[in-house]
Amino acid sequence: MRFRLSTLLLLCVTFFSSEINAQDTTIEYKTDYYWQQQTDYIMDIDMDVKTYQFTGKQTIKYTNNSPDDLSRVFYHLYFNAFQPDSEMDARLQSITDPDGRMTDNVGTKENPIFESRISKLKDDEIGFIKVSSLNLNGKALSYEIEGTIMIVDLETPIKAGETVDFNMVFNGQVPVQIRRSGRNNKEGVALSMAQWYPKLAEYDTEGWHADPYIAREFYGVWGNFDVKITIDKDYIIGGTGNLQNADEIGYGYTPNDVKHKGKKLTWHFIAPNVHDFTWAADKDYIHDTMQVLNGPMLHFFYKNDLPKDNLESWKKMQPKTVELMQYFSEHIGKYPFDQYSVIQGGDGGMEYAMSTLITGNRSYGSLVGVTAHEMAHTWFQFLLATNEAKHEWMDEGFTSYISTLAMNEIMDEKKENPLSRSYLGYAFLANSGVEQPLTTHADRYNINQAYGISAYSKGAVFISQLGYIIGDDNLKTTIKKYYTDFAFKHPKPLDIVRTAERVSGLELDWYLIDFAQTTNTIDYAVTNVEDKKVTLERIGLMPMPLDLTITYTDGSTEDFYIPLRMMRGAKKTSATVKDDWAWAYPTYTLETSKTVKSVQLDPKGLMADIKQDNNVYPVATE
C-alpha cells in the first residue's frame, strides 16, 4: 500500500490536536503529551489444515516512544484461553448469564444449568500458543506464562526512544470454534484466525495493559505487519492487509486464472499502521470485489454452500456495503486504507483491522445490519482505538450510534428517532437495580446483560444525548473533529467531551461525570400547571437542560428551552429561551404568555429520562 502523507504523519511521535478555543475548530495546537509505542511485525506462518496446528517465526521491531525505560514487556497469548480451567472457562462457570455461544444448557429453559464448552475440550480441540524461543537483539530471554499472558523480564531495559528487535519461534493449535476465533464454526468455515499470534501488550500513559483474556475485546499497539501464511493450496484467505503476490495466488485477487504447483501456497500480506492482523480461510469461499469510488476496494468472502436465498443476499448487500463505507467516511472521516474485507466466519459479528468476521447464513437485512455495525467499528476501534477493557462504551456505543443512523438512511427506514431502542434499553437497565457505572472494567460486570446494555445502549445514548445538549450540528462537527484530532491516539472519555466543548463553547464536564462515572439518573417531571404557570421538578440527581413544548387553550403551541446554568451557555435553538436552571434548586417555574392546556417535556425523546410518565401534563389516562 502506498502511504498517504496523513498516515505518515500519524506514525510520528508528535501529534497535533485542536485549539482549545470555543467555536473555532480550524486552529491546531501541539500536544506533547500524546505518544504511541510502535510494533512492526514480520511473521512467517505454516498451517497444517489436518491437525489445525501451525508453526511461526516472528520478529517485532519495537520502538519505545514513551518517556520511560522499560524493564519488562508482556505478550498476549489469546488462544490459551480455550483450555479447561482457564480464566475464561472459570468465568463462564461463575457468571449468572454466560454467553450462550460458549455454553450448553444441560438443564431446562425454566431452570437452566449452563455448562462451559471450554471445560469439555479434549487435547486435540483446545487452543494454545507455545513459545520455543525468545530473544532480544540476539540475546536469549527467559519468560513466564500465566494463562493468556507471557511475562518477560529484561536484564537490560529498553530505554526511552530506543528501538529493539524481539525474535520468537512458536507453535500453536487452533481451538474448536467457541468465541470469535477457531476452527470449523457452526457454518463450516474452516479457520477464523483472530487474536491468534503472540502479541505485544500496549504500554501507554497509564502503564502496561496486560489484561487476561476472559471475555471481552482488545487493546493493541499500532505497527506495520508483514505476514506470510503458508497453507494447503485449496484454501482461500481473506483478512487484514494487502496481498502482495496476487499473480501467484489468483482466487479472485486477480482476474487471471492461476495454476498452483505443489501442495501449498504462501500468501504474502502487508498491512501498514494497524494494531492487529486477522485472517480466515476456507476451501469453499466465493470471493467477490467491489470498488468504492475514491475509496478502498471491498472484498467479500462467503461459502458457496449457503442456501440460495442467502447467496443472493450476499450479492445484494455488496452495493450497500459501498454506501456504508461512503457514509462513514463522510460522517466520521475518510477511511485511510486501500482495502476492506467482509468475511464469513467467527461466531456472530466481530471487527478487526481492515476486515470483519460475520456469520453468513443470514437474511439480506441482517447481513447489511451486521456489516454496518462491524464496519463502523473500523473508525471507533481500529482508527481511534479506545482501550475497550476500560472504556468499551466509547467503541460499542459510538459504533451503535453511527451505524444505526447509517442504516436509517441507507435502508430508508424513516425512523423519527433511530436511537429509540437504545434509550429504551438504557432506561430498562437504569430502573433494574443492577446497573454499574461506565467506569467499570469490561470484565467486572456482575452480569453479561448489564455489560451489553451499558456498552451498546448507554454508550449510544451518551453520544446521542450529547447532541441534545450541544445541538445536532455541533455534534456532527464534534464527531468529525474527534476523529481528525485523535485518530491513532487511543483517546479517553475526556477527549470526546473536550472536543465537544471546543466546538460548542459550552462547559460539559458535569455530563461526563454524571452519565459515565456514576449511575445517577435523569428524571424531570411536570408537577403543576396553573393558568400561565408551569412548575417543573428535578427528581433524579443528574442535571440536564430542558426542551419542552406547551400547547395553549387556544390550540397554538410554543417550544421552550431552559438552559442548565452549569453549562455556562446555551445551544442554538429556535425555541423560546427562558432563564437558566441551577442544579441545586429542585423546582423551576416557567411563565407563559397564554393559558396552558398541556405540557410535554423532551418532545423528541432525546433526553434519557428514566421515567416518562411524569413528563407530560395532563397525565395520560387509560
Side-chain angles (χ1 to χ4, degrees):
M1 173 181 174
R2 183 166 56 92
F3 278 81
R4 294 178 174 84
L5 178 59
S6 58
T7 304
L8 287 171
L9 291 173
L10 288 166
L11 287 169
C12 297
V13 180
T14 304
F15 296 90
F16 294 85
S17 185
S18 61
E19 172 69 33
I20 305 179
N21 186 333
Q23 306 295 347
D24 188 346
T25 62
T26 62
I27 303 173
E28 302 296 317
Y29 79 104
K30 187 174 180 180
T31 53
D32 293 327
Y33 51 88
Y34 279 102
W35 48 264
Q36 303 296 329
Q37 304 294 67
Q38 176 84 11
T39 53
D40 294 332
Y41 286 76
I42 299 174
M43 289 193 286
D44 286 281
I45 307 299
D46 194 322
M47 172 65 72
D48 185 330
V49 296
K50 294 181 179 179
T51 64
Y52 298 103
Q53 293 189 358
F54 57 97
T55 58
K57 294 180 180 179
Q58 179 192 83
T59 296
I60 300 177
K61 186 174 291 293
Y62 184 69
T63 302
N64 179 16
N65 289 320
S66 82
D68 308 316
D69 295 347
L70 303 178
S71 59
R72 56 167 37 180
V73 299
F74 299 86
Y75 282 80
H76 295 283
L77 308 178
Y78 292 106
F79 270 2
N80 289 358
F82 302 102
Q83 300 174 11
D85 202 34
S86 68
E87 290 185 66
M88 182 181 284
D89 182 32
R91 184 58 173 159
L92 284 171
Q93 298 183 55
S94 65
I95 197 166
T96 304
D97 59 338
D99 190 324
R101 292 167 292 192
M102 304 169 71
T103 57
D104 295 316
N105 182 8
V106 297
T108 65
K109 182 178 180 180
E110 295 75 19
N111 297 293
I113 301 173
F114 297 108
E115 186 175 78
S116 164
R117 290 178 58 207
I118 295 177
S119 70
K120 301 299 179 182
L121 292 177
K122 301 174 183 177
D123 287 347
D124 63 349
E125 297 174 327
I126 66 171
F128 63 70
I129 296 177
K130 296 179 180 179
V131 178
S132 303
S133 65
L134 177 66
N135 65 62
L136 173 62
N137 292 338
K139 185 175 182 180
L141 294 171
S142 59
Y143 47 86
E144 180 181 359
I145 295 176
E146 296 179 345
T148 60
I149 298 297
M150 185 170 80
I151 306 162
V152 184
D153 288 309
L154 309 176
E155 291 184 12
T156 303
I158 305 170
K159 296 188 178 300
E162 184 180 6
T163 297
V164 298
D165 288 338
F166 287 99
N167 289 281
M168 179 188 292
V169 177
F170 66 96
N171 66 292
Q173 179 168 284
V174 185
V176 170
Q177 209 284 327
I178 290 178
R179 186 69 180 102
R180 297 192 176 98
S181 57
R183 70 199 202 219
N184 301 321
N185 79 345
K186 66 181 181 180
E187 296 179 346
V189 175
L191 292 166
S192 298
M193 299 295 286
Q195 306 302 133
W196 55 277
Y197 59 92
K199 182 177 181 179
L200 265 176
E202 178 66 288
Y203 182 83
D204 63 16
T205 55
E206 298 174 337
W208 283 104
H209 296 276
D211 292 297
Y213 186 23
I214 295 175
R216 306 304 175 201
E217 296 169 26
F218 316 105
Y219 187 46
V221 192
W222 276 289
N224 303 305
F225 283 72
D226 186 327
V227 181
K228 293 179 180 177
I229 302 166
T230 301
I231 194 170
D232 186 288
K233 68 178 181 181
D234 293 332
Y235 283 71
I236 301 168
I237 294 178
T240 303
N242 303 292
L243 185 63
Q244 301 299 294
N245 57 336
D247 290 340
E248 299 173 19
I249 299 297
Y251 285 131
Y253 283 97
T254 175
N256 303 322
D257 291 330
V258 177
K259 292 184 178 180
H260 304 124
K261 300 178 181 179
K263 294 182 178 180
K264 287 190 170 185
L265 282 176
T266 296
W267 300 61
H268 184 196
F269 293 93
I270 288 180
N273 209 20
V274 295
H275 56 82
D276 184 37
F277 188 97
T278 297
W279 57 285
D282 194 87
K283 290 189 292 186
D284 299 321
Y285 273 150
I286 297 171
H287 178 198
D288 295 332
T289 61
M290 188 166 286
Q291 180 68 51
V292 179
L293 183 64
N294 299 318
M297 177 68 77
L298 300 182
H299 297 262
F300 302 88
F301 299 87
Y302 54 102
K303 287 178 69 70
N304 60 20
D305 59 358
L306 286 169
K308 181 180 177 181
D309 288 349
N310 291 339
L311 284 173
E312 292 175 354
S313 293
W314 271 89
K315 295 288 187 182
K316 188 178 176 182
M317 62 91 84
Q318 293 174 22
K320 287 297 181 184
T321 308
V322 171
E323 292 183 55
L324 288 168
M325 176 62 72
Q326 293 170 327
Y327 183 94
F328 298 136
S329 289
E330 177 185 352
H331 290 86
I332 309 173
K334 186 172 175 58
Y335 181 77
F337 303 116
D338 287 343
Q339 77 91 8
Y340 184 86
S341 297
V342 181
I343 308 166
Q344 183 182 356
D347 62 355
M350 181 62 195
E351 71 279 1
Y352 299 104
M354 299 191 202
S355 62
T356 179
L357 297 181
I358 63 172
T359 46
N361 197 12
R362 297 170 179 266
S363 66
Y364 168 64
S366 178
L367 271 178
V368 177
V370 71
T371 301
H373 183 85
E374 304 309 334
M375 179 183 281
H377 272 298
T378 291
W379 281 261
F380 292 111
Q381 172 51 12
F382 276 94
L383 293 171
L384 287 157
T386 293
N387 183 351
E388 286 186 279
K390 298 184 65 177
H391 314 297
E392 67 283 350
W393 57 275
M394 294 181 69
D395 172 40
E396 294 294 355
F398 294 8
T399 293
S400 296
Y401 169 81
I402 201 72
S403 62
T404 299
L405 295 185
M407 286 291 289
N408 194 55
E409 179 173 312
I410 289 168
M411 299 300 280
D412 198 26
E413 294 174 340
K414 294 184 171 64
K415 295 178 181 177
E416 186 175 353
N417 180 4
L419 277 297
S420 59
R421 290 184 63 183
S422 294
Y423 281 86
L424 289 171
Y426 163 67
F428 169 80
L429 178 65
N431 287 305
S432 70
V434 298
E435 184 186 8
Q436 295 170 251
L438 293 181
T439 52
T440 303
H441 189 284
D443 286 323
R444 310 288 195 275
Y445 282 85
N446 288 324
I447 59 175
N448 276 325
Q449 184 186 42
Y451 164 82
I453 297 175
S454 295
Y456 291 79
S457 297
K458 190 173 183 180
V461 170
F462 180 95
I463 195 74
S464 175
Q465 189 171 240
L466 181 61
Y468 166 83
I469 293 168
I470 67 175
D472 187 58
D473 288 343
N474 277 335
L475 178 62
K476 290 176 180 178
T477 302
T478 293
I479 291 172
K480 291 181 180 180
K481 188 155 185 60
Y482 173 59
Y483 173 74
T484 299
D485 291 349
F486 293 101
F488 301 97
K489 295 183 185 177
H490 295 313
K492 299 176 177 63
L494 186 60
D495 294 318
I496 182 67
V497 172
R498 291 290 290 121
T499 302
E501 287 184 331
R502 292 165 192 150
V503 169
S504 68
L506 301 172
E507 297 297 315
L508 300 169
D509 59 327
W510 59 272
Y511 182 55
L512 177 64
I513 292 169
D514 275 84
F515 204 68
Q517 298 175 359
T518 76
T519 54
N520 290 347
T521 57
I522 303 164
D523 183 13
Y524 282 87
V526 183
T527 56
N528 192 44
V529 174
E530 292 183 3
D531 192 23
K532 299 178 182 179
K533 289 187 178 181
V534 177
T535 302
L536 307 174
E537 181 180 3
R538 177 187 54 76
I539 300 171
L541 279 175
M542 182 169 172
M544 286 292 284
L546 295 182
D547 287 341
L548 64 155
T549 297
I550 291 178
T551 301
Y552 298 116
T553 54
D554 64 4
S556 62
T557 63
E558 186 173 5
D559 294 330
F560 291 89
Y561 172 65
I562 303 173
L564 178 66
R565 181 172 294 178
M566 65 179 68
M567 287 171 59
R568 310 304 173 195
K571 68 180 177 183
K572 292 181 180 179
T573 178
S574 60
T576 301
V577 180
K578 304 297 287 186
D579 292 338
D580 60 29
W581 185 350
W583 172 84
Y585 300 104
T587 61
Y588 181 100
T589 299
L590 182 151
E591 296 189 5
T592 66
S593 60
K594 293 186 281 188
T595 303
V596 175
K597 178 183 178 182
S598 65
V599 182
Q600 173 69 62
L601 283 177
D602 184 29
K604 294 183 179 180
L606 298 176
M607 183 175 72
D609 192 309
I610 65 165
K611 293 182 180 179
Q612 297 290 317
D613 56 356
N614 59 10
N615 285 8
V616 296
Y617 174 89
V619 177
T621 56
E622 296 182 1

